[in-house]
Amino acid sequence: MIALTQEKREELANYARARLASHVLHGGCSDEEEIFKIALAAITAVPFGWEIAGNIFPTLEEALKPGYIGTPEPIYDEPPVSGIKLPELIPSMGQDSEYDSGHNDGWNNCLAEIKRLNGLGE
């Protein structure tokens, strides 16, 4: 595990948020976007408990009480995804320019891949 100061965590989280916002503005759908989402979740995660020598404590304060030797290690849990909201497909209007057709196809293919990767089907 990499030890980060709170200041460095905030700096990295702000950077990840800015990159994600940039992807949203440009309609991006990429591996880079997913990496930034994962990084942001990891950087901002809050431990649900602390462990010292096999003993689990609900708070860091409890773990630091006298009687246990060692350094408290955080324990993290991955919260369940509450739900995935996807934008609508872009329908073909029949008279789209070549650019519009390519953009729409790319958008729709990206949505289809998100559904496939998340087991959402049609």
Side-chain angles (χ1 to χ4, degrees), residues 84-100:
I84 298 173
K85 295 181 182 177
L86 298 173
E88 296 295 319
L89 293 172
I90 300 175
S92 174
M93 298 299 187
Q95 51 192 345
D96 295 335
S97 70
E98 188 174 322
Y99 170 81
D100 289 337

Side-chain angles (χ1 to χ4, degrees), residues 68-85:
Y68 294 96
I69 298 172
T71 303
E73 293 292 331
I75 303 170
Y76 294 95
D77 187 15
E78 181 180 332
V81 176
S82 59
I84 298 173
K85 295 181 182 177

Side-chain angles (χ1 to χ4, degrees), residues 52-53 55 57 62-70:
I52 297 179
N55 296 292
F57 302 91
E62 290 285 321
L64 292 173
K65 286 184 178 178
Y68 294 96
I69 298 172

Side-chain angles (χ1 to χ4, degrees), residues 26-27 90 98-108:
H26 298 99
I90 300 175
E98 188 174 322
Y99 170 81
D100 289 337
S101 293
H103 175 267
N104 296 355
D105 289 346
W107 178 270
N108 294 338

